[in-house]
Each structure stands twice: as structure tokens, then as C-alpha cells.
Short mmCIF file of all heavy atoms in Angstrom, two decimals:
data_model
loop_
_atom_site.label_atom_id
_atom_site.label_comp_id
_atom_site.label_asym_id
_atom_site.label_seq_id
_atom_site.Cartn_x
_atom_site.Cartn_y
_atom_site.Cartn_z
N GLU A 1 8.19 -12.27 9.02
CA GLU A 1 8.52 -12.46 7.57
C GLU A 1 10.08 -12.69 7.58
O GLU A 1 10.82 -11.86 8.08
CB GLU A 1 8.13 -11.31 6.72
CG GLU A 1 8.35 -11.56 5.25
CD GLU A 1 7.73 -10.44 4.40
OE1 GLU A 1 6.75 -9.86 4.82
OE2 GLU A 1 8.26 -10.34 3.24
N PHE A 2 10.51 -13.78 6.96
CA PHE A 2 11.99 -14.03 6.98
C PHE A 2 12.31 -14.78 5.71
O PHE A 2 12.07 -15.92 5.56
CB PHE A 2 12.25 -14.92 8.16
CG PHE A 2 13.71 -15.10 8.47
CD1 PHE A 2 14.46 -14.19 9.17
CD2 PHE A 2 14.32 -16.34 8.03
CE1 PHE A 2 15.81 -14.38 9.43
CE2 PHE A 2 15.65 -16.53 8.26
CZ PHE A 2 16.40 -15.56 9.00
N GLU A 3 12.93 -14.10 4.76
CA GLU A 3 13.42 -14.67 3.53
C GLU A 3 14.90 -14.29 3.49
O GLU A 3 15.21 -13.07 3.08
CB GLU A 3 12.74 -14.22 2.31
CG GLU A 3 11.22 -14.69 2.28
CD GLU A 3 11.11 -16.11 2.02
OE1 GLU A 3 12.01 -16.79 1.40
OE2 GLU A 3 10.08 -16.75 2.46
N PRO A 4 15.82 -15.14 3.93
CA PRO A 4 17.21 -14.65 3.94
C PRO A 4 17.71 -14.00 2.73
O PRO A 4 17.44 -14.41 1.58
CB PRO A 4 18.03 -15.98 4.14
CG PRO A 4 17.05 -16.84 4.89
CD PRO A 4 15.66 -16.49 4.19
N TYR A 5 18.45 -12.80 2.86
CA TYR A 5 18.97 -11.95 1.88
C TYR A 5 18.00 -11.24 1.10
O TYR A 5 18.40 -10.48 0.14
CB TYR A 5 19.98 -12.74 1.03
CG TYR A 5 20.74 -13.76 1.69
CD1 TYR A 5 20.78 -15.08 1.42
CD2 TYR A 5 21.60 -13.31 2.69
CE1 TYR A 5 21.54 -16.03 2.01
CE2 TYR A 5 22.44 -14.24 3.42
CZ TYR A 5 22.42 -15.62 3.05
OH TYR A 5 23.10 -16.58 3.79
N GLU A 6 16.67 -11.35 1.38
CA GLU A 6 15.73 -10.64 0.65
C GLU A 6 14.62 -9.84 1.47
O GLU A 6 14.34 -8.75 1.05
CB GLU A 6 14.82 -11.70 -0.24
CG GLU A 6 15.69 -12.36 -1.29
CD GLU A 6 14.93 -13.40 -2.07
OE1 GLU A 6 13.63 -13.50 -1.87
OE2 GLU A 6 15.54 -14.11 -2.85
N SER A 7 14.02 -10.46 2.48
CA SER A 7 13.02 -9.76 3.21
C SER A 7 13.01 -10.18 4.68
O SER A 7 13.23 -11.34 4.98
CB SER A 7 11.61 -9.89 2.54
OG SER A 7 11.20 -11.19 2.69
N LEU A 8 12.68 -9.15 5.53
CA LEU A 8 12.62 -9.39 6.94
C LEU A 8 11.54 -8.39 7.42
O LEU A 8 11.55 -7.25 7.00
CB LEU A 8 13.98 -9.09 7.49
CG LEU A 8 14.05 -9.24 9.13
CD1 LEU A 8 13.83 -10.52 9.62
CD2 LEU A 8 15.37 -8.56 9.58
N ALA A 9 10.62 -8.93 8.36
CA ALA A 9 9.66 -8.03 8.86
C ALA A 9 9.25 -8.51 10.29
O ALA A 9 9.31 -9.70 10.58
CB ALA A 9 8.47 -7.92 7.99
N TRP A 10 8.89 -7.59 11.11
CA TRP A 10 8.47 -7.83 12.46
C TRP A 10 7.37 -7.00 12.82
O TRP A 10 7.17 -5.83 12.25
CB TRP A 10 9.60 -7.75 13.45
CG TRP A 10 10.32 -6.48 13.57
CD1 TRP A 10 9.86 -5.24 14.17
CD2 TRP A 10 11.48 -6.06 12.89
NE1 TRP A 10 10.76 -4.29 13.98
CE2 TRP A 10 11.76 -4.76 13.30
CE3 TRP A 10 12.47 -6.73 12.13
CZ2 TRP A 10 12.98 -4.04 12.87
CZ3 TRP A 10 13.61 -6.07 11.76
CH2 TRP A 10 13.78 -4.82 12.10
N ASP A 11 6.43 -7.44 13.81
CA ASP A 11 5.47 -6.48 14.33
C ASP A 11 6.11 -5.97 15.61
O ASP A 11 7.08 -6.45 16.15
CB ASP A 11 4.15 -7.31 14.53
CG ASP A 11 4.20 -8.34 15.67
OD1 ASP A 11 5.27 -8.57 16.27
OD2 ASP A 11 3.22 -8.81 15.97
N SER A 12 5.47 -4.92 16.17
CA SER A 12 5.88 -4.28 17.36
C SER A 12 4.70 -3.80 18.15
O SER A 12 3.75 -3.16 17.57
CB SER A 12 6.77 -3.10 17.04
OG SER A 12 8.07 -3.44 16.48
N GLN A 13 4.69 -4.13 19.40
CA GLN A 13 3.68 -3.76 20.35
C GLN A 13 4.19 -2.91 21.44
O GLN A 13 5.29 -3.32 22.05
CB GLN A 13 2.95 -4.99 20.93
CG GLN A 13 2.42 -5.95 19.83
CD GLN A 13 1.51 -5.51 18.94
OE1 GLN A 13 0.56 -4.83 19.32
NE2 GLN A 13 1.50 -5.86 17.60
N ALA A 14 3.55 -1.85 21.83
CA ALA A 14 3.85 -1.13 23.02
C ALA A 14 2.60 -0.29 23.37
O ALA A 14 1.57 -0.31 22.63
CB ALA A 14 5.02 -0.13 22.72
N PHE A 15 2.65 0.37 24.51
CA PHE A 15 1.47 1.09 24.91
C PHE A 15 1.09 2.09 23.86
O PHE A 15 1.89 3.00 23.52
CB PHE A 15 1.72 1.81 26.27
CG PHE A 15 0.57 2.69 26.64
CD1 PHE A 15 -0.54 2.15 27.24
CD2 PHE A 15 0.68 4.02 26.49
CE1 PHE A 15 -1.65 2.95 27.59
CE2 PHE A 15 -0.42 4.85 26.87
CZ PHE A 15 -1.53 4.29 27.43
N GLY A 16 -0.09 2.00 23.27
CA GLY A 16 -0.60 2.90 22.29
C GLY A 16 0.01 2.85 20.91
O GLY A 16 -0.24 3.67 20.06
N ILE A 17 0.77 1.76 20.61
CA ILE A 17 1.41 1.66 19.32
C ILE A 17 1.30 0.14 18.86
O ILE A 17 1.59 -0.70 19.61
CB ILE A 17 2.93 2.03 19.35
CG1 ILE A 17 3.09 3.47 19.65
CG2 ILE A 17 3.57 1.65 17.99
CD1 ILE A 17 4.53 3.92 19.85
N ASN A 18 0.85 0.01 17.62
CA ASN A 18 0.87 -1.30 16.98
C ASN A 18 1.54 -1.09 15.59
O ASN A 18 1.06 -0.34 14.77
CB ASN A 18 -0.60 -1.82 16.79
CG ASN A 18 -0.70 -3.21 16.25
OD1 ASN A 18 0.32 -3.87 16.17
ND2 ASN A 18 -1.86 -3.62 15.86
N ALA A 19 2.68 -1.75 15.40
CA ALA A 19 3.50 -1.40 14.22
C ALA A 19 3.91 -2.67 13.46
O ALA A 19 3.84 -3.76 13.99
CB ALA A 19 4.77 -0.61 14.58
N TYR A 20 4.24 -2.44 12.26
CA TYR A 20 4.80 -3.56 11.41
C TYR A 20 5.98 -2.91 10.63
O TYR A 20 5.84 -1.84 9.87
CB TYR A 20 3.76 -4.13 10.48
CG TYR A 20 4.17 -5.36 9.72
CD1 TYR A 20 4.07 -6.57 10.40
CD2 TYR A 20 4.63 -5.40 8.43
CE1 TYR A 20 4.46 -7.79 9.91
CE2 TYR A 20 4.97 -6.59 7.81
CZ TYR A 20 4.92 -7.80 8.59
OH TYR A 20 5.27 -9.00 8.01
N HIS A 21 7.18 -3.39 10.69
CA HIS A 21 8.39 -2.92 10.07
C HIS A 21 8.94 -3.92 9.19
O HIS A 21 9.39 -5.08 9.55
CB HIS A 21 9.41 -2.56 11.07
CG HIS A 21 10.44 -1.69 10.62
ND1 HIS A 21 11.23 -0.88 11.45
CD2 HIS A 21 10.97 -1.45 9.37
CE1 HIS A 21 12.13 -0.24 10.75
NE2 HIS A 21 11.98 -0.64 9.43
N ALA A 22 9.02 -3.58 7.86
CA ALA A 22 9.56 -4.55 6.83
C ALA A 22 10.72 -4.03 6.16
O ALA A 22 10.97 -2.82 5.96
CB ALA A 22 8.49 -4.76 5.80
N TRP A 23 11.63 -4.94 5.79
CA TRP A 23 12.85 -4.57 5.07
C TRP A 23 13.00 -5.45 3.78
O TRP A 23 12.62 -6.72 3.81
CB TRP A 23 14.06 -4.95 5.91
CG TRP A 23 14.23 -4.19 7.09
CD1 TRP A 23 13.52 -4.38 8.32
CD2 TRP A 23 15.12 -3.10 7.32
NE1 TRP A 23 13.95 -3.45 9.26
CE2 TRP A 23 14.93 -2.71 8.70
CE3 TRP A 23 15.96 -2.42 6.53
CZ2 TRP A 23 15.62 -1.59 9.26
CZ3 TRP A 23 16.73 -1.42 7.08
CH2 TRP A 23 16.53 -0.97 8.42
N LEU A 24 13.27 -4.86 2.61
CA LEU A 24 13.49 -5.54 1.40
C LEU A 24 14.84 -5.29 0.88
O LEU A 24 15.32 -4.13 0.88
CB LEU A 24 12.48 -5.04 0.35
CG LEU A 24 10.99 -5.27 0.70
CD1 LEU A 24 10.08 -4.57 -0.33
CD2 LEU A 24 10.61 -6.74 0.79
N ILE A 25 15.54 -6.28 0.41
CA ILE A 25 16.92 -6.21 -0.09
C ILE A 25 16.92 -6.76 -1.54
O ILE A 25 16.52 -7.88 -1.73
CB ILE A 25 17.89 -7.06 0.82
CG1 ILE A 25 17.86 -6.53 2.24
CG2 ILE A 25 19.24 -6.93 0.20
CD1 ILE A 25 18.63 -7.44 3.22
#
């Protein structure tokens, strides 16, 4: 997710972890 100056998000994968991290401005 990428909306400049408003929102950014990424997924993350590692052993035993599946994550989603979002930022709102």
C-alpha cells in the first residue's frame, strides 16, 4: 500500500511469522 503522504503498508515474512504493518498520516 503506497499513497504518498497518507498511507504506507508492507507485509513481512519470516520463520513462524506472517505480518502486515500499516502507517496512516
Side-chain angles (χ1 to χ4, degrees):
E1 188 172 333
F2 188 87
E3 294 292 332
Y5 319 120
E6 294 178 8
S7 66
L8 176 67
W10 57 79
D11 68 354
S12 294
Q13 310 294 322
F15 176 76
I17 296 175
N18 186 11
Y20 193 78
H21 193 159
W23 296 80
L24 299 172
I25 302 171

